[in-house]
């Protein structure tokens, strides 16, 4: 069977690659044409365009890159028509993927959506478009089932694929251990967010000389990209070792995104940071309808981890929160106890397997 898979960022690349592996196990004739990243390529995916050429975050940032975005959409539509897959599988990335879904639907190409866009956070009426252009939705957050049902759409809940990714990665963190305890910095995967948030992270960690600081590098960049930020500081940057780094760390500073949930599932106390273009954040605050930005707090339905956003994402407030994460044992223990409840909500491994089985079941009908 011919699969066309689109993922527009690092987390989508991870989850799409795990799904592709499970599809290949059940469909030996599977071939994949992809918009994605290195992990999808490792699963025998032919990469049409790498996600590093597609990932823009923030209202203003998207507006300034509209010509490139529209060129990508045109190219994707042409490629989709040329290769006519048996199914189009979209992974999150709604601004791009919903446009492609609409086009594929017009061309009578089945559309599966793996990892729902966060439409429950803002502009919920987008669900009406999803009902029209998506044949099957596979959700990874438990509350999404009830959300879609309120809008008259039945979806499949398959569990969270992060549990798969973590279970599949054996601990190999010996090289990260040393005499000093570690602070992990996860500044994100996009250039815009790294540029705004990493300097604040680094200035905050300067207050903790007894700890070694290690940065989890994004796969789309090299170590040279990070050196202007670290300057004369003796800071290691690691690639492809984020889980190992987290397992070895006392605490973490994490840019809002999938990594916040990964950090919680790996049981590392954290603070969640976010800073973007001031106008983008102002617009977001007017339209976003949820009380938290981190997946950890959203899934739990309460504040487990501190969120430092825009004005509060600064050296002083980050350093104050990091001090509590490193030294305040009752504070740490409360967070770790809440993580235990969170893991129960998220569930164990198997999401990629369940999603692949469901997809093949629907395709065989």
């Amino acid at each position: 069977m011919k699969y066309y898979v689109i993922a527009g960022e690092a987390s989508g690349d991870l989850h799409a690659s795990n799904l592709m592996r499970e599809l290949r196990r059940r469909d030996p004739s599977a071939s994949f044409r992809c918009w994605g990243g290195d992990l999808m390529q490792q699963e025998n995916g032919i990469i049409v365009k790498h996600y590093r050429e597609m990932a823009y975050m923030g209202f203003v940032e998207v507006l300034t890159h509209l010509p490139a975005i529209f060129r990508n959409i045109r190219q994707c539509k042409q490629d989709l028509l040329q290769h006519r897959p048996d199914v189009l599988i979209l992974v999150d990335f709604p601004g791009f993927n919903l446009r492609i879904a609409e086009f594929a639907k017009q061309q009578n190409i089945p559309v599966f959506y793996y990892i729902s866009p966060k439409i429950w956070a803002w502009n919920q009426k987008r669900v009406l478009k999803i009902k029209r252009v998506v044949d099957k939705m596979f959700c990874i957050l438990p509350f999404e089932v009830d959300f879609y049902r309120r809008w008259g759409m039945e979806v499949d809940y398959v569990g969270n694929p992060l549990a798969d990714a973590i279970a599949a990665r054996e601990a190999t963190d010996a090289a990260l251990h040393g005499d000093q305890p570690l602070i992990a910095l996860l500044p994100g995967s996009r250039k815009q967010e790294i540029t705004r948030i990493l300097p604040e992270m680094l200035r905050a960690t300067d207050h903790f000389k007894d700890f070694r600081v290690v940065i989890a590098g994004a796969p789309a960049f090299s170590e040279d990209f990070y050196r202007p930020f670290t300057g004369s500081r003796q800071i290691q940057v690691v690639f492809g070792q984020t889980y190992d780094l987290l397992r070895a760390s006392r605490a973490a500073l994490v840019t809002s995104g999938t990594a916040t949930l990964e950090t919680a599932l790996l049981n590392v106390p954290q603070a969640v940071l976010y800073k973007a273009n001031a106008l983008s954040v102002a617009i977001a605050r007017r339209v976003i309808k949820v009380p938290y930005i981190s997946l950890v707090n959203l899934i739990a339905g309460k504040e487990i981890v501190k969120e430092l956003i825009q004005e509060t994402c600064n050296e002083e407030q980050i350093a104050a929160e990091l001090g509590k994460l490193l030294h305040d044992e009752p504070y740490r223990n409360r967070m770790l106890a809440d993580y235990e409840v969170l893991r129960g909500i998220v569930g164990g491994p198997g999401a990629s397997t369940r999603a692949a089985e469901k997809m093949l079941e629907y395709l065989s009908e």
Side-chain angles (χ1 to χ4, degrees):
M1 199 170 292
K2 295 192 299 183
Y3 302 86
Y4 202 105
V5 188
I6 303 176
E9 54 195 355
S11 60
D13 181 38
L14 170 66
H15 301 322
S17 69
N18 287 332
L19 175 66
M20 290 162 61
R21 184 182 307 120
E22 295 302 323
L23 286 169
R24 278 198 299 117
R25 285 175 178 168
R26 290 156 181 79
D27 178 10
S29 66
S31 65
F32 299 99
R33 191 166 181 86
C34 309
W35 291 52
D38 300 342
L39 297 177
M40 294 166 74
Q41 189 171 39
Q42 289 170 20
E43 295 301 327
N44 297 334
I46 297 171
I47 303 298
V48 180
K49 181 152 291 196
H50 200 284
Y51 67 75
R52 63 174 164 258
E53 300 179 58
M54 303 162 60
Y56 307 109
M57 190 171 188
F59 296 96
V60 174
E61 291 83 354
V62 167
L63 285 173
T64 58
H65 290 91
L66 278 177
I69 292 169
F70 286 129
R71 279 196 303 273
N72 287 339
I73 290 171
R74 286 195 300 271
Q75 181 185 351
C76 188
K77 289 178 178 179
Q78 292 166 0
D79 197 66
L80 196 62
L81 270 185
Q82 184 178 347
H83 293 276
R84 290 207 69 90
D86 296 298
V87 63
L88 171 66
I89 300 176
L90 306 171
V91 184
D92 199 359
F93 200 51
F96 187 91
N97 276 341
L98 285 176
R99 289 174 179 267
I100 301 303
E102 187 168 30
F103 176 78
K105 189 72 172 177
Q106 293 167 355
Q107 304 302 320
N108 295 315
I109 297 170
V111 179
F112 289 178
Y113 216 121
Y114 181 49
I115 307 180
S116 168
K118 299 174 182 63
I119 56 172
W120 33 264
W122 69 284
N123 194 8
Q124 295 186 357
K125 288 187 177 179
R126 286 181 296 169
V127 74
L128 299 175
K129 181 175 184 178
I130 289 174
K131 286 176 65 176
R132 190 175 74 251
V133 304
V134 173
D135 295 298
K136 297 294 179 182
M137 174 67 74
F138 303 87
C139 294
I140 67 168
L141 298 174
F143 59 79
E144 291 176 329
V145 177
D146 289 336
F147 169 79
Y148 275 102
R149 189 167 289 147
R150 288 197 300 272
W151 286 89
M153 182 176 179
E154 292 299 318
V155 300
D156 288 288
Y157 172 64
V158 295
N160 201 297
L162 283 179
D164 294 0
I166 290 170
R169 180 64 184 257
E170 296 181 5
T172 57
D173 57 3
L176 290 167
H177 285 300
D179 295 334
Q180 290 180 298
L182 291 181
I183 298 171
L185 302 186
L186 280 64
S189 61
R190 299 178 181 90
K191 183 177 180 180
Q192 300 105 309
E193 60 190 7
I194 296 170
T195 301
R196 292 180 185 276
I197 297 171
L198 183 56
E200 300 291 353
M201 288 181 168
L202 291 168
R203 284 192 286 269
T205 58
D206 287 341
H207 294 256
F208 302 92
K209 302 298 185 184
D210 294 334
F211 290 81
R212 185 157 64 103
V213 177
V214 180
I215 297 170
F221 301 104
S222 69
E223 188 169 349
D224 289 341
F225 170 76
Y226 293 90
R227 287 303 162 213
F229 300 104
T230 58
S232 61
R233 301 177 181 92
Q234 297 300 306
I235 291 181
Q236 183 180 2
V237 183
V238 299
F239 295 88
Q241 300 180 68
T242 301
Y243 291 171
D244 298 335
L245 170 59
L246 287 169
R247 287 186 176 108
S249 295
R250 173 76 174 171
L253 299 177
V254 187
T255 293
S256 179
T258 305
T260 63
L261 184 55
E262 291 173 304
T263 302
L265 294 178
L266 286 164
N267 219 37
V268 182
Q270 66 178 303
V272 175
L273 313 183
Y274 189 71
K275 178 177 278 193
N277 176 279
L279 180 57
S280 292
V281 172
I283 295 170
R285 283 173 168 161
R286 292 183 65 87
V287 300
I288 290 177
K289 305 300 183 184
V290 291
Y292 308 109
I293 65 167
S294 71
L295 284 173
V296 176
N297 294 340
L298 283 168
I299 295 172
K302 68 173 189 176
E303 183 179 276
I304 293 179
V305 296
K306 186 76 169 179
E307 298 179 353
L308 299 173
I309 306 168
Q310 204 65 4
E311 300 86 357
T312 58
C313 183
N314 60 60
E315 175 187 345
E316 292 76 18
Q317 295 197 52
I318 298 170
E321 181 63 18
L322 183 55
K324 294 167 68 176
L325 295 171
L326 295 171
H327 302 302
D328 187 334
E329 289 298 333
Y331 187 73
R332 285 174 54 85
N333 289 337
R334 283 194 299 274
M335 189 176 293
L336 296 174
D338 284 336
Y339 280 175
E340 186 67 29
V341 176
L342 179 73
R343 281 192 290 274
I345 297 172
V346 171
S352 305
T353 298
R354 289 186 286 272
E357 289 175 345
K358 275 287 183 186
M359 288 181 183
L360 290 171
E361 177 186 327
Y362 288 133
L363 288 169
S364 67
E365 290 177 352

PDB file of all heavy atoms in Angstrom, residues 13-14 17 36-45 47 50-52 219-221:
ATOM      1  N   ASP A  13       7.732  14.263  13.470  1.00  0.00           N
ATOM      2  CA  ASP A  13       8.685  13.342  12.843  1.00  0.00           C
ATOM      3  C   ASP A  13       8.856  12.089  13.700  1.00  0.00           C
ATOM      4  O   ASP A  13       8.846  10.957  13.196  1.00  0.00           O
ATOM      5  CB  ASP A  13      10.026  14.065  12.664  1.00  0.00           C
ATOM      6  CG  ASP A  13      11.093  13.210  12.003  1.00  0.00           C
ATOM      7  OD1 ASP A  13      10.766  12.445  11.082  1.00  0.00           O
ATOM      8  OD2 ASP A  13      12.262  13.328  12.415  1.00  0.00           O
ATOM      9  N   LEU A  14       8.985  12.278  15.013  1.00  0.00           N
ATOM     10  CA  LEU A  14       9.132  11.148  15.943  1.00  0.00           C
ATOM     11  C   LEU A  14       7.908  10.240  15.896  1.00  0.00           C
ATOM     12  O   LEU A  14       8.030   9.017  15.720  1.00  0.00           O
ATOM     13  CB  LEU A  14       9.353  11.682  17.362  1.00  0.00           C
ATOM     14  CG  LEU A  14       9.286  10.655  18.495  1.00  0.00           C
ATOM     15  CD1 LEU A  14      10.435   9.663  18.380  1.00  0.00           C
ATOM     16  CD2 LEU A  14       9.303  11.355  19.853  1.00  0.00           C
ATOM     17  N   SER A  17       7.326   8.485  12.531  1.00  0.00           N
ATOM     18  CA  SER A  17       8.287   7.396  12.281  1.00  0.00           C
ATOM     19  C   SER A  17       7.887   6.130  13.026  1.00  0.00           C
ATOM     20  O   SER A  17       7.992   5.022  12.483  1.00  0.00           O
ATOM     21  CB  SER A  17       9.706   7.829  12.684  1.00  0.00           C
ATOM     22  OG  SER A  17       9.829   7.974  14.090  1.00  0.00           O
ATOM     23  N   GLY A  36       8.685  15.482   6.192  1.00  0.00           N
ATOM     24  CA  GLY A  36       9.020  15.198   7.587  1.00  0.00           C
ATOM     25  C   GLY A  36      10.491  15.377   7.861  1.00  0.00           C
ATOM     26  O   GLY A  36      11.106  16.332   7.378  1.00  0.00           O
ATOM     27  N   GLY A  37      11.047  14.413   8.618  1.00  0.00           N
ATOM     28  CA  GLY A  37      12.419  14.578   9.057  1.00  0.00           C
ATOM     29  C   GLY A  37      13.246  13.311   8.990  1.00  0.00           C
ATOM     30  O   GLY A  37      12.868  12.313   8.362  1.00  0.00           O
ATOM     31  N   ASP A  38      14.368  13.348   9.708  1.00  0.00           N
ATOM     32  CA  ASP A  38      15.355  12.274   9.636  1.00  0.00           C
ATOM     33  C   ASP A  38      14.803  10.943  10.143  1.00  0.00           C
ATOM     34  O   ASP A  38      15.151   9.883   9.610  1.00  0.00           O
ATOM     35  CB  ASP A  38      16.596  12.656  10.459  1.00  0.00           C
ATOM     36  CG  ASP A  38      17.258  13.930   9.949  1.00  0.00           C
ATOM     37  OD1 ASP A  38      16.988  14.318   8.791  1.00  0.00           O
ATOM     38  OD2 ASP A  38      18.035  14.536  10.698  1.00  0.00           O
ATOM     39  N   LEU A  39      13.967  10.982  11.186  1.00  0.00           N
ATOM     40  CA  LEU A  39      13.449   9.733  11.745  1.00  0.00           C
ATOM     41  C   LEU A  39      12.505   9.041  10.762  1.00  0.00           C
ATOM     42  O   LEU A  39      12.507   7.808  10.646  1.00  0.00           O
ATOM     43  CB  LEU A  39      12.729  10.010  13.073  1.00  0.00           C
ATOM     44  CG  LEU A  39      13.608  10.567  14.191  1.00  0.00           C
ATOM     45  CD1 LEU A  39      12.776  10.872  15.429  1.00  0.00           C
ATOM     46  CD2 LEU A  39      14.728   9.594  14.541  1.00  0.00           C
ATOM     47  N   MET A  40      11.714   9.797  10.051  1.00  0.00           N
ATOM     48  CA  MET A  40      10.841   9.217   9.032  1.00  0.00           C
ATOM     49  C   MET A  40      11.668   8.640   7.885  1.00  0.00           C
ATOM     50  O   MET A  40      11.336   7.590   7.323  1.00  0.00           O
ATOM     51  CB  MET A  40       9.849  10.270   8.526  1.00  0.00           C
ATOM     52  CG  MET A  40       8.865  10.726   9.601  1.00  0.00           C
ATOM     53  SD  MET A  40       7.949  12.225   9.162  1.00  0.00           S
ATOM     54  CE  MET A  40       6.808  11.592   7.946  1.00  0.00           C
ATOM     55  N   GLN A  41      12.759   9.313   7.569  1.00  0.00           N
ATOM     56  CA  GLN A  41      13.655   8.808   6.524  1.00  0.00           C
ATOM     57  C   GLN A  41      14.269   7.472   6.941  1.00  0.00           C
ATOM     58  O   GLN A  41      14.429   6.564   6.113  1.00  0.00           O
ATOM     59  CB  GLN A  41      14.742   9.834   6.232  1.00  0.00           C
ATOM     60  CG  GLN A  41      15.598   9.517   5.021  1.00  0.00           C
ATOM     61  CD  GLN A  41      16.498  10.677   4.660  1.00  0.00           C
ATOM     62  OE1 GLN A  41      17.043  11.364   5.519  1.00  0.00           O
ATOM     63  NE2 GLN A  41      16.670  10.918   3.366  1.00  0.00           N
ATOM     64  N   GLN A  42      14.593   7.340   8.227  1.00  0.00           N
ATOM     65  CA  GLN A  42      15.162   6.084   8.727  1.00  0.00           C
ATOM     66  C   GLN A  42      14.175   4.924   8.633  1.00  0.00           C
ATOM     67  O   GLN A  42      14.578   3.756   8.654  1.00  0.00           O
ATOM     68  CB  GLN A  42      15.616   6.267  10.176  1.00  0.00           C
ATOM     69  CG  GLN A  42      16.843   7.145  10.334  1.00  0.00           C
ATOM     70  CD  GLN A  42      17.125   7.517  11.785  1.00  0.00           C
ATOM     71  OE1 GLN A  42      16.657   6.861  12.709  1.00  0.00           O
ATOM     72  NE2 GLN A  42      17.909   8.564  11.987  1.00  0.00           N
ATOM     73  N   GLU A  43      12.881   5.225   8.534  1.00  0.00           N
ATOM     74  CA  GLU A  43      11.863   4.178   8.358  1.00  0.00           C
ATOM     75  C   GLU A  43      11.513   3.979   6.877  1.00  0.00           C
ATOM     76  O   GLU A  43      10.419   3.560   6.540  1.00  0.00           O
ATOM     77  CB  GLU A  43      10.605   4.539   9.160  1.00  0.00           C
ATOM     78  CG  GLU A  43      10.808   4.566  10.654  1.00  0.00           C
ATOM     79  CD  GLU A  43      11.280   3.236  11.219  1.00  0.00           C
ATOM     80  OE1 GLU A  43      10.873   2.192  10.669  1.00  0.00           O
ATOM     81  OE2 GLU A  43      12.043   3.240  12.196  1.00  0.00           O
ATOM     82  N   ASN A  44      12.497   4.270   6.018  1.00  0.00           N
ATOM     83  CA  ASN A  44      12.354   4.087   4.564  1.00  0.00           C
ATOM     84  C   ASN A  44      11.383   5.075   3.929  1.00  0.00           C
ATOM     85  O   ASN A  44      10.836   4.798   2.855  1.00  0.00           O
ATOM     86  CB  ASN A  44      11.938   2.652   4.217  1.00  0.00           C
ATOM     87  CG  ASN A  44      12.990   1.634   4.627  1.00  0.00           C
ATOM     88  OD1 ASN A  44      14.176   1.958   4.714  1.00  0.00           O
ATOM     89  ND2 ASN A  44      12.564   0.414   4.885  1.00  0.00           N
ATOM     90  N   GLY A  45      11.183   6.204   4.574  1.00  0.00           N
ATOM     91  CA  GLY A  45      10.358   7.241   3.973  1.00  0.00           C
ATOM     92  C   GLY A  45      11.159   8.071   2.979  1.00  0.00           C
ATOM     93  O   GLY A  45      12.291   8.464   3.259  1.00  0.00           O
ATOM     94  N   ILE A  47      11.752  11.469   1.598  1.00  0.00           N
ATOM     95  CA  ILE A  47      11.461  12.811   2.101  1.00  0.00           C
ATOM     96  C   ILE A  47      11.388  13.800   0.937  1.00  0.00           C
ATOM     97  O   ILE A  47      12.384  14.050   0.250  1.00  0.00           O
ATOM     98  CB  ILE A  47      12.518  13.267   3.126  1.00  0.00           C
ATOM     99  CG1 ILE A  47      12.601  12.274   4.287  1.00  0.00           C
ATOM    100  CG2 ILE A  47      12.196  14.676   3.637  1.00  0.00           C
ATOM    101  CD1 ILE A  47      11.326  12.143   5.089  1.00  0.00           C
ATOM    102  N   HIS A  50      12.021  18.583   4.059  1.00  0.00           N
ATOM    103  CA  HIS A  50      12.323  18.444   5.483  1.00  0.00           C
ATOM    104  C   HIS A  50      11.529  19.470   6.285  1.00  0.00           C
ATOM    105  O   HIS A  50      11.312  20.595   5.834  1.00  0.00           O
ATOM    106  CB  HIS A  50      13.815  18.651   5.727  1.00  0.00           C
ATOM    107  CG  HIS A  50      14.310  18.071   7.023  1.00  0.00           C
ATOM    108  ND1 HIS A  50      14.071  18.670   8.241  1.00  0.00           N
ATOM    109  CD2 HIS A  50      15.009  16.938   7.287  1.00  0.00           C
ATOM    110  CE1 HIS A  50      14.629  17.944   9.208  1.00  0.00           C
ATOM    111  NE2 HIS A  50      15.191  16.882   8.657  1.00  0.00           N
ATOM    112  N   TYR A  51      11.129  19.072   7.485  1.00  0.00           N
ATOM    113  CA  TYR A  51      10.297  19.976   8.295  1.00  0.00           C
ATOM    114  C   TYR A  51      11.015  21.261   8.680  1.00  0.00           C
ATOM    115  O   TYR A  51      10.374  22.265   8.996  1.00  0.00           O
ATOM    116  CB  TYR A  51       9.768  19.272   9.550  1.00  0.00           C
ATOM    117  CG  TYR A  51      10.810  18.900  10.583  1.00  0.00           C
ATOM    118  CD1 TYR A  51      11.380  19.850  11.416  1.00  0.00           C
ATOM    119  CD2 TYR A  51      11.205  17.573  10.757  1.00  0.00           C
ATOM    120  CE1 TYR A  51      12.329  19.511  12.371  1.00  0.00           C
ATOM    121  CE2 TYR A  51      12.142  17.221  11.711  1.00  0.00           C
ATOM    122  CZ  TYR A  51      12.705  18.194  12.511  1.00  0.00           C
ATOM    123  OH  TYR A  51      13.647  17.845  13.460  1.00  0.00           O
ATOM    124  N   ARG A  52      12.346  21.258   8.652  1.00  0.00           N
ATOM    125  CA  ARG A  52      13.041  22.501   9.028  1.00  0.00           C
ATOM    126  C   ARG A  52      12.749  23.624   8.039  1.00  0.00           C
ATOM    127  O   ARG A  52      12.963  24.803   8.354  1.00  0.00           O
ATOM    128  CB  ARG A  52      14.548  22.257   9.144  1.00  0.00           C
ATOM    129  CG  ARG A  52      15.239  21.843   7.877  1.00  0.00           C
ATOM    130  CD  ARG A  52      16.763  21.762   8.047  1.00  0.00           C
ATOM    131  NE  ARG A  52      17.352  21.014   6.948  1.00  0.00           N
ATOM    132  CZ  ARG A  52      17.747  19.747   7.046  1.00  0.00           C
ATOM    133  NH1 ARG A  52      17.611  19.102   8.186  1.00  0.00           N
ATOM    134  NH2 ARG A  52      18.272  19.123   6.005  1.00  0.00           N
ATOM    135  N   PRO A 219      17.416  18.474  16.203  1.00  0.00           N
ATOM    136  CA  PRO A 219      18.035  17.724  15.101  1.00  0.00           C
ATOM    137  C   PRO A 219      18.278  18.546  13.845  1.00  0.00           C
ATOM    138  O   PRO A 219      19.135  18.180  13.030  1.00  0.00           O
ATOM    139  CB  PRO A 219      17.033  16.591  14.833  1.00  0.00           C
ATOM    140  CG  PRO A 219      15.744  17.038  15.433  1.00  0.00           C
ATOM    141  CD  PRO A 219      16.109  17.889  16.598  1.00  0.00           C
ATOM    142  N   ALA A 220      17.566  19.650  13.683  1.00  0.00           N
ATOM    143  CA  ALA A 220      17.728  20.451  12.464  1.00  0.00           C
ATOM    144  C   ALA A 220      18.948  21.375  12.517  1.00  0.00           C
ATOM    145  O   ALA A 220      19.260  22.039  11.523  1.00  0.00           O
ATOM    146  CB  ALA A 220      16.472  21.273  12.206  1.00  0.00           C
ATOM    147  N   PHE A 221      19.654  21.414  13.659  1.00  0.00           N
ATOM    148  CA  PHE A 221      20.774  22.336  13.822  1.00  0.00           C
ATOM    149  C   PHE A 221      22.052  21.587  14.201  1.00  0.00           C
ATOM    150  O   PHE A 221      21.996  20.446  14.658  1.00  0.00           O
ATOM    151  CB  PHE A 221      20.456  23.379  14.901  1.00  0.00           C
ATOM    152  CG  PHE A 221      19.226  24.194  14.607  1.00  0.00           C
ATOM    153  CD1 PHE A 221      18.039  23.948  15.286  1.00  0.00           C
ATOM    154  CD2 PHE A 221      19.238  25.187  13.644  1.00  0.00           C
ATOM    155  CE1 PHE A 221      16.898  24.676  15.017  1.00  0.00           C
ATOM    156  CE2 PHE A 221      18.103  25.922  13.365  1.00  0.00           C
ATOM    157  CZ  PHE A 221      16.932  25.673  14.052  1.00  0.00           C
TER     158      PHE A 221
END
